[in-house]
Amino acid sequence: ERRKREREMSAVLLLLASLLFQLVAAEVVSCPDQQSYCNCSSTASVCEFILRIEYRHTFTSYKLFGSNNQQSFDGEGYFLNRSGYIPTVQQDGDCNFDDPRTRPFTGSDFTRRGCSVPMTVDGVNYRAIIAINGQIPGPTLVVTSGQTVHIRVVNSLVSQSVSIHWHGLFQKDTPWMDGVGFVSHPPIDPGSSFDYIFTAGQSGTYWYHSHVGSERADGLFGGLVLRDPDTFFEQVVRPQILPEDSSSILVDSPELHTITVIDWMREHPNDMFVKMNDSLFFFPDAPVSTVPDRSNTPHEESDLIDGTGTSAVPYWSGLINGRGRFDSNTLAPLSVFSVESNRYYRFRLVGSNAMLAFNFSIDGHTLRAIASDGSYYQPRDVEYIVIHSGERYDFILNTTNPNRGQTNFWIRAETLVDTSPRQSVLAVLSYTNGNDLDWRNGYSNIPDARPTCTSASPCRVLNCPFQQYPAGSALTCISLMNLSSLFPPPTNKLPKFPPSSSCPDCIHFLNFGFDGPRDDSFINGKSLQLPNTAYATNCAQYTSSKSIINTCDRCTVNTTSGCRCIHVIPIANAATFDPNSDEHESIIMIFSSLNSPDTHPIHLHGHNFQILYTGYGTYDSNGKVTSPSTDLVCDTVGNNICVTPRWANGTPPAGLMARVSNGRVIGSAISKDTVMVPGYGYVVIALQADNPGYWFLHCHIEFHQALGMAAIVQEYDPLQHKAPPPNINNHGSFQWSVEEFKQFQDDGSTCADSIASTGGAPTTGGISLSQTKFGVMIGVIVLLFIVVVVMAIVSCAYFVYRRKVTTRHERFR
Ligand SMILES: [Cu+2]
């Protein structure tokens, strides 16, 4: 009897202790080689991840080492042939199959033998890729809003530096954690590691990717999901997005239902970059920037549906979650997303596109679009969602239709290039866990079940990059301006339009395009040259006479060419930032694409912004764009280089003013962090300057950005920026703990403080941690821990005492 009670008591103690441990502890999240997600439990206060970045090769199985086969060993791999089998000559005791010529690789066969599953990628292309934890894309990181995230990025590349940008996260008070190489912090050298630590204060669908060169196009990216706290989602969000069916099951499994899509290149992106950057003439008499297409003839720029141009890079293939097929007849495994009947599923679509926009759809299903770039809007049922590089769309998929008639459906991402058939990336939605699918027969049992679009009942397309489809196409465009924010900001957070007249740098007209005789990649005739010191980590430069901040000031766009310079755009530079104020300086930016009919997805770091207005060019009766919007004009110099875009009549158009109420942007205007600027059109965005720092602003098309279509936004005077942590500028690894991070944040020094504390002497980093404060903090933590333990013991004792009393009562009864 007594032993039983003792056992019970120790069990209770154990349970309590483990609960407490979970509540206060950091969780080291398991991210083994090739697991497609890393999930941090919602009870942890800190989530720790390790991302290992290394070269891998397609069609290769790697021998895995380390505990639980978590790491690959460089240099020991086994090539497969293109049909997906290991050639006999390369069989080995570890990575062998029973009979490699008859067994397809399914995954489990490899991992059981301690070998990685070969990545076939597009089924044809033998080339090196940049893998994160053994795969492209990298694992989807799943955390809960409010958690502190500690991600150690280990650069195991031999010859490249990297950095990781957490796309869409504001990095408030941590601007040096934004991961733009040469802007936020120095890139991570080969062989070194870097500890990103920040608070995941937002919620929604985000992603991470390299921000050095064009590494993203090599596969260096992955999903990043910040879940809403459960109660907020259930009580506030769900009734708004599923109002008609409150009892049915809504499945939100970001680890299974996050979809990334990318157009994939035959050659290494550096190869393509060099061709474009040098405007190489590959063929006699070819126009500049001409590159060979797949039949080795000069690539002609092909037109989009609306007559606007596409990139100079020929389309090769595309991938959904790292898998695709070069041309439709290639045999290769595709990504399969499993669902069950009678559920609602939240899918998260990530635009990891390299160059081209995609039109996304799922055969036999309507998509209920509910959020973009981390902000909810009133749900809209659509058949298609257009997604460009950097954008994210969340949608609900309804699987309750009993008459669906088939078990597997095509998931499609098609480019907007005007070809027949369309350039198409495929994946599979399966109601059977993919059990009745066979990649070796090319999934021939999946019928075509595209949505039926008629003029009487046209299909709906969310986020067209043009005003409308040609007449007779039975497709209706839903502009982002037609969406209505689900949680409008309070009035004082709505940006003012026009912004304050006392703030000269609060409105900016920025034209994105390829101008001049060399077709250079410009913003207002300026092509970004990256600084050689990361601005966000170097307070000292502001006091140094040799400081280089905005070299474009010294450069005049002349008649023959633009400028290649460090293009800094100050916003709210003369204002004083008050962190305790509810309202901040309003900023308006007009992004245009006036000189060439190219669509550019523009991304601003450190913020999201409200979409105030979208303006389009002029279209002919066939739906082709013929001339730029007449709302704007641009003074050009030399060979058609646009340098000073502005309102044509000196005043904004009436359509824009209809979206302004009482001098502020209307609350229903949705918020995003990446927006498509239509060819020959423009977009007006608005935000409040509440985040001092250096923030990258750029076209998210990989090569447009790498070629210079980017600028550095300097928000407030740099002396008001948060000082960087010590040692962040050092060569070699930058490592620190969450405790050090929190202590550093509590100190809260600005660059001005930092410079004052060092007497104005130049330093390479920021300020150093206060040892005493650190000691006090450790003391407080230990004290708190003791209090918690004592409380646990007391409650246990009380529990046991109650049991004893009850038992005694029972005995007396
Ligand atoms: Cu662009």
Side-chain angles (χ1 to χ4, degrees), residues 259 347 360-367 383-384 395 397 409-412 429 449-451:
I259 300 177
F347 276 78
F360 180 89
S361 63
I362 300 181
D363 279 15
H365 295 76
T366 300
L367 316 174
E383 281 72 32
Y384 294 97
F395 62 88
L397 191 83
F409 295 85
W410 288 119
I411 296 176
R412 303 174 194 269
L429 179 79
R450 287 164 185 272

Side-chain angles (χ1 to χ4, degrees), residues 599-601 699 701 704 709:
T599 299
H600 300 286
C699 175
I701 291 176
H704 293 194
M709 203 181 284

